[in-house]
Amino acid sequence: MRSAKDFFRPLAVGAPEPLREVPFRPSRMIHFFDPGNEKMAAKIPALAPQVDVLLGNLEDAVAADRKEAARAGLVAVARSTDFGGTQLWTRINSLDSPWALDDLVTLVSEIGDRLDVVMVPKVEGAHDIHYVDRLLAQLEARAGLTRPILVHAILETAAGVAGVEEIAAASPRMQGISLGPADLAASRRMKTTRVGGGHPGYLVRQDPPQTPGDTPRLTYQQDLWHYTIARMVDACAAHGILPYYGPFGDIQDVTACEDQFRNAFLLGCVGAWTLHPVQIAIARRVFSPAPQDVAWARQVIEAMGDGTGAVMIDGKMQDDATYKQCQVVVGLADALAARDPELAEAYATADKAARR
Ligand code: GLV
Ligand code: MG
């Protein structure tokens, strides 16, 4: 085991100092694009101000004979685009693929100073993160980088879920973890054929009526991902990193997409992947606390003074624990408002209305 004293030491001579805290930067939507697709790449400058994170995808959905074009395309996009306050991430190919090594070597050497986070797919345990951690340190040292590139793991193997706590704790580079429902379903041998979302067959049925009759028994569709998301959120929160819902593949079903994103938000996730522009507005709406909730939270914080004791507001009991919940909501709202002027205005308006 690595000594706790060494945890924040660079893993290669000349590599930047590891961070002690994951910087909280808005990442409500991690918008995926194929950098080898010239039409898509041309839209990036216009897209950048609309999203919190742009992610150049090199892995699944990029055909084997397009891998090199995607990697070269990402280098070109990163060099030629002014991203403003938008983060640039990439998803490299899986560590057992023929492309992962060149992905890391090329990207860190060529655009390491522009890259905020490397998303690593199909992570099976802390050993995968340790491998990437050391390699990134060597490459950063060689490229003369002054700030460490962070690492994000996709939770999409059964082994990964079984070891999610050790993955979250594996390195000070760990920025966060996303649910990868499509690969996870395959890895677990689930019998679905979808990318995220529910399934009509996964349900609970009401008890039979006490007296025989023809009252139909209601069924309630259940959430296939509840257990995994809750476990991921706990692992992330315990280790000070950020949890995300991953992809929702039914682009047309904006309602179910919004529901899945909202469940994840309420459970503690800070964002989701967006695979199509239509999902960007959904993620912005869902992962920004509602203005009336923020106004309420501010009211509670004010009424609670130093945060101890208990007060009643509108017949609802508030104490230290609700005070802390309200601080989470207000802290997030303030961080998002600093980047999103429209949201800042909505929060100010709701706050004024609540004080009237
Ligand atoms: C994402 O990569 C997934 O497999 O769901
Ligand atoms: Mg996957």
mmCIF file of all heavy atoms in Angstrom, residues 88-116:
data_model
loop_
_atom_site.group_PDB
_atom_site.id
_atom_site.type_symbol
_atom_site.label_atom_id
_atom_site.label_comp_id
_atom_site.label_asym_id
_atom_site.label_seq_id
_atom_site.Cartn_x
_atom_site.Cartn_y
_atom_site.Cartn_z
ATOM 1 N N LEU A 88 -12.451 21.242 -21.624
ATOM 2 C CA LEU A 88 -12.233 20.254 -22.687
ATOM 3 C C LEU A 88 -11.815 18.929 -22.047
ATOM 4 O O LEU A 88 -10.824 18.872 -21.315
ATOM 5 C CB LEU A 88 -11.143 20.724 -23.660
ATOM 6 C CG LEU A 88 -10.821 19.712 -24.773
ATOM 7 C CD1 LEU A 88 -12.010 19.511 -25.713
ATOM 8 C CD2 LEU A 88 -9.585 20.136 -25.567
ATOM 9 N N TRP A 89 -12.611 17.905 -22.314
ATOM 10 C CA TRP A 89 -12.305 16.564 -21.838
ATOM 11 C C TRP A 89 -12.144 15.640 -23.053
ATOM 12 O O TRP A 89 -12.550 15.995 -24.168
ATOM 13 C CB TRP A 89 -13.464 15.980 -21.004
ATOM 14 C CG TRP A 89 -13.784 16.647 -19.706
ATOM 15 C CD1 TRP A 89 -13.444 17.899 -19.281
ATOM 16 C CD2 TRP A 89 -14.576 16.069 -18.646
ATOM 17 N NE1 TRP A 89 -13.971 18.144 -18.032
ATOM 18 C CE2 TRP A 89 -14.668 17.039 -17.614
ATOM 19 C CE3 TRP A 89 -15.218 14.849 -18.473
ATOM 20 C CZ2 TRP A 89 -15.368 16.808 -16.424
ATOM 21 C CZ3 TRP A 89 -15.914 14.610 -17.295
ATOM 22 C CH2 TRP A 89 -15.982 15.573 -16.281
ATOM 23 N N THR A 90 -11.581 14.477 -22.804
ATOM 24 C CA THR A 90 -11.610 13.450 -23.834
ATOM 25 C C THR A 90 -11.984 12.128 -23.196
ATOM 26 O O THR A 90 -11.773 11.936 -21.994
ATOM 27 C CB THR A 90 -10.250 13.303 -24.542
ATOM 28 O OG1 THR A 90 -10.389 12.365 -25.625
ATOM 29 C CG2 THR A 90 -9.164 12.781 -23.601
ATOM 30 N N ARG A 91 -12.565 11.221 -24.005
ATOM 31 C CA ARG A 91 -12.717 9.825 -23.572
ATOM 32 C C ARG A 91 -11.758 9.022 -24.426
ATOM 33 O O ARG A 91 -11.938 8.936 -25.647
ATOM 34 C CB ARG A 91 -14.152 9.336 -23.755
ATOM 35 C CG ARG A 91 -14.293 7.850 -23.373
ATOM 36 C CD ARG A 91 -15.736 7.383 -23.310
ATOM 37 N NE ARG A 91 -16.326 7.165 -24.612
ATOM 38 C CZ ARG A 91 -17.484 6.525 -24.817
ATOM 39 N NH1 ARG A 91 -18.179 6.059 -23.787
ATOM 40 N NH2 ARG A 91 -17.982 6.370 -26.024
ATOM 41 N N ILE A 92 -10.738 8.460 -23.778
ATOM 42 C CA ILE A 92 -9.772 7.640 -24.514
ATOM 43 C C ILE A 92 -10.354 6.248 -24.730
ATOM 44 O O ILE A 92 -11.392 5.904 -24.158
ATOM 45 C CB ILE A 92 -8.415 7.535 -23.766
ATOM 46 C CG1 ILE A 92 -8.624 6.907 -22.376
ATOM 47 C CG2 ILE A 92 -7.742 8.888 -23.676
ATOM 48 C CD1 ILE A 92 -7.332 6.471 -21.689
ATOM 49 N N ASN A 93 -9.658 5.459 -25.539
ATOM 50 C CA ASN A 93 -10.078 4.072 -25.731
ATOM 51 C C ASN A 93 -9.729 3.256 -24.491
ATOM 52 O O ASN A 93 -8.902 3.664 -23.666
ATOM 53 C CB ASN A 93 -9.406 3.519 -26.989
ATOM 54 C CG ASN A 93 -10.051 4.081 -28.239
ATOM 55 O OD1 ASN A 93 -11.153 3.687 -28.616
ATOM 56 N ND2 ASN A 93 -9.391 5.054 -28.860
ATOM 57 N N SER A 94 -10.352 2.092 -24.376
ATOM 58 C CA SER A 94 -10.157 1.307 -23.149
ATOM 59 C C SER A 94 -8.713 0.821 -23.065
ATOM 60 O O SER A 94 -8.013 0.686 -24.081
ATOM 61 C CB SER A 94 -11.138 0.143 -23.092
ATOM 62 O OG SER A 94 -10.896 -0.716 -24.162
ATOM 63 N N LEU A 95 -8.273 0.567 -21.843
ATOM 64 C CA LEU A 95 -6.850 0.307 -21.604
ATOM 65 C C LEU A 95 -6.369 -0.989 -22.264
ATOM 66 O O LEU A 95 -5.177 -1.156 -22.475
ATOM 67 C CB LEU A 95 -6.573 0.288 -20.093
ATOM 68 C CG LEU A 95 -6.895 1.607 -19.375
ATOM 69 C CD1 LEU A 95 -6.642 1.485 -17.876
ATOM 70 C CD2 LEU A 95 -6.090 2.774 -19.958
ATOM 71 N N ASP A 96 -7.284 -1.892 -22.584
ATOM 72 C CA ASP A 96 -6.871 -3.141 -23.237
ATOM 73 C C ASP A 96 -6.957 -3.037 -24.767
ATOM 74 O O ASP A 96 -6.774 -4.024 -25.465
ATOM 75 C CB ASP A 96 -7.723 -4.321 -22.734
ATOM 76 C CG ASP A 96 -9.210 -4.124 -23.040
ATOM 77 O OD1 ASP A 96 -9.587 -3.041 -23.537
ATOM 78 O OD2 ASP A 96 -9.997 -5.064 -22.775
ATOM 79 N N SER A 97 -7.246 -1.867 -25.276
ATOM 80 C CA SER A 97 -7.415 -1.720 -26.735
ATOM 81 C C SER A 97 -6.071 -1.369 -27.374
ATOM 82 O O SER A 97 -5.136 -0.967 -26.690
ATOM 83 C CB SER A 97 -8.413 -0.590 -27.019
ATOM 84 O OG SER A 97 -7.785 0.662 -26.795
ATOM 85 N N PRO A 98 -5.980 -1.494 -28.697
ATOM 86 C CA PRO A 98 -4.718 -1.139 -29.365
ATOM 87 C C PRO A 98 -4.469 0.372 -29.434
ATOM 88 O O PRO A 98 -3.433 0.788 -29.917
ATOM 89 C CB PRO A 98 -4.899 -1.691 -30.784
ATOM 90 C CG PRO A 98 -6.211 -2.350 -30.847
ATOM 91 C CD PRO A 98 -6.973 -2.054 -29.608
ATOM 92 N N TRP A 99 -5.441 1.187 -28.973
ATOM 93 C CA TRP A 99 -5.312 2.643 -29.196
ATOM 94 C C TRP A 99 -5.028 3.450 -27.938
ATOM 95 O O TRP A 99 -4.614 4.610 -28.038
ATOM 96 C CB TRP A 99 -6.624 3.172 -29.823
ATOM 97 C CG TRP A 99 -7.000 2.432 -31.053
ATOM 98 C CD1 TRP A 99 -6.368 2.497 -32.268
ATOM 99 C CD2 TRP A 99 -8.076 1.490 -31.204
ATOM 100 N NE1 TRP A 99 -6.987 1.661 -33.155
ATOM 101 C CE2 TRP A 99 -8.039 1.038 -32.535
ATOM 102 C CE3 TRP A 99 -9.056 1.005 -30.343
ATOM 103 C CZ2 TRP A 99 -8.952 0.104 -33.026
ATOM 104 C CZ3 TRP A 99 -9.961 0.070 -30.830
ATOM 105 C CH2 TRP A 99 -9.901 -0.367 -32.154
ATOM 106 N N ALA A 100 -5.292 2.889 -26.760
ATOM 107 C CA ALA A 100 -5.243 3.703 -25.538
ATOM 108 C C ALA A 100 -3.874 4.352 -25.319
ATOM 109 O O ALA A 100 -3.779 5.542 -24.967
ATOM 110 C CB ALA A 100 -5.613 2.857 -24.327
ATOM 111 N N LEU A 101 -2.805 3.596 -25.524
ATOM 112 C CA LEU A 101 -1.468 4.136 -25.261
ATOM 113 C C LEU A 101 -1.200 5.351 -26.157
ATOM 114 O O LEU A 101 -0.781 6.418 -25.677
ATOM 115 C CB LEU A 101 -0.409 3.048 -25.476
ATOM 116 C CG LEU A 101 1.020 3.493 -25.212
ATOM 117 C CD1 LEU A 101 1.206 3.933 -23.764
ATOM 118 C CD2 LEU A 101 2.004 2.367 -25.548
ATOM 119 N N ASP A 102 -1.479 5.202 -27.455
ATOM 120 C CA ASP A 102 -1.240 6.338 -28.361
ATOM 121 C C ASP A 102 -2.188 7.489 -28.074
ATOM 122 O O ASP A 102 -1.826 8.653 -28.259
ATOM 123 C CB ASP A 102 -1.371 5.897 -29.827
ATOM 124 C CG ASP A 102 -0.177 5.041 -30.250
ATOM 125 O OD1 ASP A 102 0.899 5.193 -29.639
ATOM 126 O OD2 ASP A 102 -0.327 4.218 -31.173
ATOM 127 N N ASP A 103 -3.397 7.175 -27.633
ATOM 128 C CA ASP A 103 -4.318 8.268 -27.258
ATOM 129 C C ASP A 103 -3.655 9.139 -26.191
ATOM 130 O O ASP A 103 -3.574 10.360 -26.322
ATOM 131 C CB ASP A 103 -5.636 7.716 -26.676
ATOM 132 C CG ASP A 103 -6.520 7.043 -27.725
ATOM 133 O OD1 ASP A 103 -6.278 7.229 -28.929
ATOM 134 O OD2 ASP A 103 -7.459 6.320 -27.310
ATOM 135 N N LEU A 104 -3.170 8.483 -25.133
ATOM 136 C CA LEU A 104 -2.603 9.252 -24.018
ATOM 137 C C LEU A 104 -1.317 9.965 -24.428
ATOM 138 O O LEU A 104 -1.130 11.151 -24.149
ATOM 139 C CB LEU A 104 -2.345 8.328 -22.817
ATOM 140 C CG LEU A 104 -3.605 7.957 -22.019
ATOM 141 C CD1 LEU A 104 -3.317 6.846 -21.014
ATOM 142 C CD2 LEU A 104 -4.166 9.177 -21.285
ATOM 143 N N VAL A 105 -0.433 9.235 -25.102
ATOM 144 C CA VAL A 105 0.856 9.835 -25.473
ATOM 145 C C VAL A 105 0.622 11.039 -26.381
ATOM 146 O O VAL A 105 1.160 12.130 -26.150
ATOM 147 C CB VAL A 105 1.761 8.783 -26.164
ATOM 148 C CG1 VAL A 105 2.995 9.450 -26.764
ATOM 149 C CG2 VAL A 105 2.168 7.697 -25.169
ATOM 150 N N THR A 106 -0.212 10.884 -27.397
ATOM 151 C CA THR A 106 -0.432 11.985 -28.344
ATOM 152 C C THR A 106 -1.125 13.162 -27.669
ATOM 153 O O THR A 106 -0.697 14.301 -27.795
ATOM 154 C CB THR A 106 -1.301 11.503 -29.528
ATOM 155 O OG1 THR A 106 -0.647 10.386 -30.115
ATOM 156 C CG2 THR A 106 -1.503 12.592 -30.557
ATOM 157 N N LEU A 107 -2.210 12.869 -26.956
ATOM 158 C CA LEU A 107 -3.006 13.979 -26.424
ATOM 159 C C LEU A 107 -2.239 14.777 -25.376
ATOM 160 O O LEU A 107 -2.276 16.007 -25.374
ATOM 161 C CB LEU A 107 -4.337 13.471 -25.859
ATOM 162 C CG LEU A 107 -5.262 12.820 -26.891
ATOM 163 C CD1 LEU A 107 -6.536 12.337 -26.231
ATOM 164 C CD2 LEU A 107 -5.604 13.787 -28.032
ATOM 165 N N VAL A 108 -1.548 14.087 -24.470
ATOM 166 C CA VAL A 108 -0.820 14.836 -23.433
ATOM 167 C C VAL A 108 0.337 15.612 -24.069
ATOM 168 O O VAL A 108 0.579 16.782 -23.731
ATOM 169 C CB VAL A 108 -0.325 13.909 -22.305
ATOM 170 C CG1 VAL A 108 0.417 14.715 -21.252
ATOM 171 C CG2 VAL A 108 -1.496 13.168 -21.671
ATOM 172 N N SER A 109 1.020 14.978 -25.017
ATOM 173 C CA SER A 109 2.161 15.672 -25.628
ATOM 174 C C SER A 109 1.712 16.861 -26.468
ATOM 175 O O SER A 109 2.341 17.903 -26.463
ATOM 176 C CB SER A 109 2.960 14.717 -26.533
ATOM 177 O OG SER A 109 3.207 13.519 -25.856
ATOM 178 N N GLU A 110 0.619 16.694 -27.186
ATOM 179 C CA GLU A 110 0.235 17.737 -28.162
ATOM 180 C C GLU A 110 -0.699 18.802 -27.563
ATOM 181 O O GLU A 110 -0.615 19.956 -27.921
ATOM 182 C CB GLU A 110 -0.496 17.103 -29.355
ATOM 183 C CG GLU A 110 0.268 15.988 -30.046
ATOM 184 C CD GLU A 110 1.297 16.525 -31.027
ATOM 185 O OE1 GLU A 110 1.085 17.624 -31.555
ATOM 186 O OE2 GLU A 110 2.316 15.831 -31.223
ATOM 187 N N ILE A 111 -1.635 18.373 -26.722
ATOM 188 C CA ILE A 111 -2.634 19.350 -26.238
ATOM 189 C C ILE A 111 -2.857 19.231 -24.724
ATOM 190 O O ILE A 111 -3.918 19.583 -24.220
ATOM 191 C CB ILE A 111 -3.992 19.190 -26.979
ATOM 192 C CG1 ILE A 111 -4.498 17.734 -26.881
ATOM 193 C CG2 ILE A 111 -3.893 19.627 -28.415
ATOM 194 C CD1 ILE A 111 -5.966 17.574 -27.255
ATOM 195 N N GLY A 112 -1.828 18.721 -24.033
ATOM 196 C CA GLY A 112 -1.962 18.506 -22.582
ATOM 197 C C GLY A 112 -2.314 19.784 -21.830
ATOM 198 O O GLY A 112 -2.993 19.751 -20.805
ATOM 199 N N ASP A 113 -1.855 20.921 -22.351
ATOM 200 C CA ASP A 113 -2.127 22.185 -21.657
ATOM 201 C C ASP A 113 -3.569 22.651 -21.847
ATOM 202 O O ASP A 113 -4.022 23.576 -21.185
ATOM 203 C CB ASP A 113 -1.164 23.272 -22.144
ATOM 204 C CG ASP A 113 -1.220 23.448 -23.656
ATOM 205 O OD1 ASP A 113 -1.614 22.493 -24.357
ATOM 206 O OD2 ASP A 113 -0.902 24.552 -24.138
ATOM 207 N N ARG A 114 -4.305 22.014 -22.763
ATOM 208 C CA ARG A 114 -5.688 22.440 -23.005
ATOM 209 C C ARG A 114 -6.697 21.439 -22.437
ATOM 210 O O ARG A 114 -7.887 21.718 -22.386
ATOM 211 C CB ARG A 114 -5.942 22.546 -24.516
ATOM 212 C CG ARG A 114 -4.844 23.265 -25.248
ATOM 213 C CD ARG A 114 -5.385 24.070 -26.384
ATOM 214 N NE ARG A 114 -5.449 25.457 -26.019
ATOM 215 C CZ ARG A 114 -6.265 26.359 -26.564
ATOM 216 N NH1 ARG A 114 -7.121 25.999 -27.484
ATOM 217 N NH2 ARG A 114 -6.242 27.605 -26.182
ATOM 218 N N LEU A 115 -6.194 20.286 -22.078
ATOM 219 C CA LEU A 115 -7.069 19.186 -21.668
ATOM 220 C C LEU A 115 -7.287 19.219 -20.156
ATOM 221 O O LEU A 115 -6.337 19.208 -19.393
ATOM 222 C CB LEU A 115 -6.355 17.888 -22.046
ATOM 223 C CG LEU A 115 -7.149 16.675 -22.447
ATOM 224 C CD1 LEU A 115 -8.184 16.983 -23.516
ATOM 225 C CD2 LEU A 115 -6.181 15.592 -22.955
ATOM 226 N N ASP A 116 -8.555 19.250 -19.735
ATOM 227 C CA ASP A 116 -8.834 19.296 -18.299
ATOM 228 C C ASP A 116 -8.931 17.891 -17.692
ATOM 229 O O ASP A 116 -8.423 17.646 -16.618
ATOM 230 C CB ASP A 116 -10.156 20.041 -18.056
ATOM 231 C CG ASP A 116 -10.034 21.515 -18.426
ATOM 232 O OD1 ASP A 116 -9.291 22.220 -17.722
ATOM 233 O OD2 ASP A 116 -10.634 21.945 -19.418
#
